Amino acid sequence: MSSNLQPQVPVEEIKPGPIEGGPDSVKGSENESHGGQRKKVVIVGLGMVGISFIEKLIKLDAKRREYDIIVIGDEGHLAYNRVGLTSFFQHRKVENLYLNPKEWYSACPPGSLNYHLNTKVTEIHPEHKLVSCSSGETVPYDILVLATGSDALLPRHTPGHDAAGVFVYRTIEDLQKLIDYSAQKKGTVGVVVGGGLLGLEAAKAMIDLEAFEKVKLIERNRWVLSRQLDGDAGGLVVEQVRGLGLDVLLSKRVGKIEVTEENAVKGVVFEDGEKMECSTICFAIGIKARDELARRAGIKCADRGGGIVVGEDLRTSKEDIYAIGECASWENQTFGLIAPGIEMAEVLSFNLTQAKVHSYRKFKRPDLSTKLKLLGVEVASFGDFFADRDGPKHLPIRAGRKEGSLDALRKLTDGPAPPPVKALTYKDPFQAVYKKYLFTVDGKYLLGGMMIGDTKDYVKLVPMVKNQKQLDVPPSQFILGASKEGDDGGDDLEDDTQICSCHNVTKGDVVNTVKDGTCKSIGDVKSCTKAGTGCGGCMPLVTSIFNSTMKSMGQEVKNHMCPHFNYSRADLYNIISVKKLKTLAEVMKEAGNDPTSQGCEACKPSIGSIFSTLYNKHIMEKPLHGLQETNDRFLGNIQRNGTFSVIPRVSAGEITPDKLIVLGNVAKKYNLYTKITGGQRIDMFGAQKQDLIAIWSELIEGGFESGHAYAKSLRTVKSCVGTTWCRYGIGDSVGMAVRLEERYKSIRSPHKMKGGVSGCVRECAEAQNKDFGLIATEKGFNIFVGGNGGASPKHSELLAKDVPPDDVVPILDRYLMFYIRTADKLQRTARWLENLPGGIKYLREVVLQDKLGICASLEAQMEELVGTFFDEWAEAIRDPEIRKKFAQFDNTSDTLQNMELEEDRGQTRPVYWAKESVKEDFRNTKWTSLTWQPIIEASHFKGADEAPNGISATIKRGDTQLAVFRVKGKWLASQQMCPHKRSFVLSDGLIGDSNDKLWVSCPNHKRNFELNGEQAGRCQNDEELSIATFPVEEREDGMVYLKLPPVHELDGVLGTKKWMVKKGESGEGPFEKLDRRLGPNGVGMRGRKPFETKKAVAAGGPNGATIDW
């Protein structure tokens, strides 16, 4: 097509500047370099990309001052916003389009910038490093940057293309000529040829002139914006712009322009013979890279499509000459959008200034996403938006499809296979909204899409495509969630999310300029970051981020439970409560997306917690055990070597000497590591699973009960000694703390809860950073709620003042039960209160003033719940079926050590974890032979098909540990070791499913390993990890068989001795350097204590004499 087209008439060659009296009366800068010799950077072209490069180079070179810049522009204006040309018809002021005011140029550091307008460069002399201007003047350079842009195309094969009344839409001069000409043609018909982005902009401009009786747009395709939109989307745009008064003619090609005797336009003749009268024609049919200057200099240019050929460093074929923007051809592509040019400017300016101390940046495949408002219609396309039509250009590595010889044969016989893409489409003709999102066939990755009418999700979807991260929500949620109002604030965007594609501005850029005080208005933000100075489409989001930062607003919380439910935890709580559901199967049937699903590691624990809140049955019973999180499964916090912690309850931290002796005896007998916790009780670490029953039997006999340190429930109520001992105490903090801990112990909640009671305002119990806290006053207690420590600490807020001791419990009953009913999964009270509409004020209205009329219900439910208390460990010890579960292996009484131990400060602990995960490809292990071997009695798995997580078994075979599962009628088997941290724990993991795919989630760090199908053994959230899986079946002899290699071969690959973490694998200990100064564990300075120094001096006196201190 390029051979049939020619650029518009070139700009008139004018003598080089500085020039007085140009179109803008702009005078070239006369700044001269000062100081040492600097390299001279000459830039040809003062457009949007050229000025962007200048700005970035000056900024990055501010400290080093290595460069002086000379820019030569052939237009008579300073750099202006070409994307916003349409607005010129409204204000007719060139200055309003300037990207920088005139003062900016003269305010640059002395000597750093010289500019010339109305000046055309005619030749480049690479061998002499000179450029020539039409006047005969030459300008030397050390580095030459070509930013010559592109020209609008005219169809030279079309008769009449050179007539008066034929225009292009590219520069301010083009617009001024159109304005002047149209003033003479009032009441006639104006025509735009070309229905792309530029064509619609030109049509808008001609409508804004208000000179034409009618404006018509001619498009050769069946819809407009054919390079960005499919037929449905383009058709919707056609409907909308027609409704705005634009007459659109589709599938039409101009064959001839009819002219008068004066060679002025009077109409067009289409290729089909139809005629149409008009007085003015504006062609917007594309652009051609301005590469003629480079071609004359022998610089390599692209044969097809034109453009100056550049590499990833933007260097041309000639030394020290670079090209950026629309004139550059990268990998046989030129880019007509501003964003790739700005990115080129960033890369080149960085490499010229910062690459001496950093690695070079490379120009990579640019993001061609666009979001514009054309004729009042919101239009956006992002990512690989034609992947369903043309096939995906780039698939995520994990989603790549391997083609074998069979696929090649099918291509020959059946034609090419359909693209590995699925489209999700939404069309609302009433609201004129159209959305099409393209995903990989499994729905795990977003590839691209297009939007008409409602584009507010654009800025969130673009980074999803660019980052190619696996999605954590089903594709349908992108459509259903997109229509929610108030979701365009940007609060849930990461700081590195690009919000302005024209100038590559991120959310963090805006936030940081506001936070550091640089920008105090939207105008400041635009000036500092350039956000919104291109197409302007990002301004609503920029404004929202600015306002949010200024007001320090919180972030939005996504509240769907998981992909298995389209409900929040609070929704599910109400559904389960109202319908009295008591099993996972019942919940899935009533509320799940798949009635037969087994759920996953995200939803099961939350549902189990709801069951416990409502019905309070033992969590190790079969209907409930499979729902429990890692720690609840064996009533103890699992530690990094697979052992468990033992933490009895010590209410309010008050304990008798006899009970302390019991704890000491147990810890000593079972060699447990002991430590005092921040919650005022004693932790005992390192208990083997098979020892837990014996340990807790002794503790219960000694008067202890479960401390629920493993559960999402009340942990402790911390206290100071208050009036019990303290001379400053004004309230019995210990007594109140004991009563509160005893009341709320064992109650399951959305997240763990902690309390505190201080006996006076000195606040020794730190009650103001707890989920609930009391501080004694002369009139009772002040009650604080919604605080927590941890990763995101927050002070609690005052709920009620001077509450009499008798009224404390009813208020806390209401508060805690309201939280339990309405919080999202794993939401601490602090985050819950932050997100509660109305915050603490609303909570006071509900809890203290009974605004909702539910206080009696909340109190009654809490009373019923605390009345059902039982000690989980005492029940476990008495139940023979539960006792059986506390064994390391289910097929033998043998035991194995899973990690080496070492002595530290007089106690035994596991060695530090190894630095690296195991990257060995267990999944594709090639065994020499596999034979069926009986492993365990099938009766072990009785009732598995009705259990929510099935039933698992831990198997010892030689020195290897294996995991066997019976889930949903299927037998599954794998290695026991999770390769992430080499922990032997997989049999205790929660099972998740999606359709027929099953996976096990490692109890330690939630690495999910597929157990069946073609991807069996694959880690879903870490591609570097994998596990070995084995065939398994049940036989008529009542045994479960595994197909395994010989024991010696199995041990050689998966043996415990091979993989158990050993001392030294973590490298140098964390305190080795410090201990070389202070002595082991910092005790080496004991010999320097004052009293010992005195003894040393006394011993060293003359003739054995002592010194009188």
Side-chain angles (χ1 to χ4, degrees), residues 892-921:
T892 177
S893 59
D894 293 350
T895 60
L896 288 174
Q897 188 72 32
N898 291 331
M899 183 183 287
E900 280 192 355
L901 303 174
E902 64 176 322
E903 291 292 320
D904 195 1
R905 296 182 295 276
Q907 298 196 84
T908 302
R909 65 162 179 82
V911 298
Y912 293 119
W913 262 326
K915 286 185 175 181
E916 299 291 335
S917 301
V918 179
K919 307 296 173 47
E920 191 160 326
D921 188 7

Side-chain angles (χ1 to χ4, degrees), residues 528-691:
C528 293
T529 67
K530 299 298 178 183
T533 61
C535 70
C538 62
M539 279 312 299
L541 181 59
V542 173
T543 302
S544 180
I545 291 173
F546 171 80
N547 291 337
S548 296
T549 306
M550 293 291 282
K551 296 177 182 177
S552 299
M553 293 175 65
Q555 294 184 349
E556 179 188 3
V557 178
K558 185 190 296 183
N559 64 353
H560 278 188
M561 179 79 79
C562 74
H564 292 100
F565 294 96
N566 290 334
Y567 297 103
S568 67
R569 180 203 168 274
D571 294 334
L572 274 182
Y573 180 95
N574 290 325
I575 292 171
I576 294 170
S577 175
V578 171
K579 297 190 176 183
K580 301 190 183 307
L581 308 178
K582 295 186 178 181
T583 66
L584 176 66
E586 292 175 354
V587 176
M588 283 294 178
K589 183 178 179 180
E590 291 289 338
N593 294 326
D594 178 2
T596 65
S597 175
Q598 284 279 317
C600 66
E601 69 279 1
C603 61
K604 285 180 180 177
S606 292
I607 293 172
S609 173
I610 293 172
F611 286 159
S612 293
T613 299
L614 293 173
Y615 313 121
N616 203 23
K617 302 296 182 183
H618 201 293
I619 61 174
M620 293 193 72
E621 293 179 0
K622 275 188 177 178
L624 299 175
H625 195 215
L627 300 175
Q628 305 310 315
E629 182 56 281
T630 302
N631 298 327
D632 294 86
R633 289 176 68 80
F634 294 100
L635 307 182
N637 286 21
I638 191 170
Q639 304 303 319
R640 56 191 179 86
N641 66 338
T643 61
F644 294 83
S645 62
V646 174
I647 309 176
R649 185 166 301 284
V650 180
S651 294
E654 187 179 59
I655 189 170
T656 65
D658 288 339
K659 285 191 173 183
L660 283 172
I661 291 171
V662 170
L663 294 177
N665 288 336
V666 169
K668 191 170 184 179
K669 180 177 180 179
Y670 295 95
N671 193 29
L672 304 179
Y673 175 105
T674 55
K675 185 182 182 301
I676 307 296
T677 76
Q680 298 179 333
R681 52 186 181 181
I682 297 173
D683 283 10
M684 295 179 284
F685 296 90
Q688 303 288 339
K689 185 195 296 185
Q690 60 270 21
D691 291 336

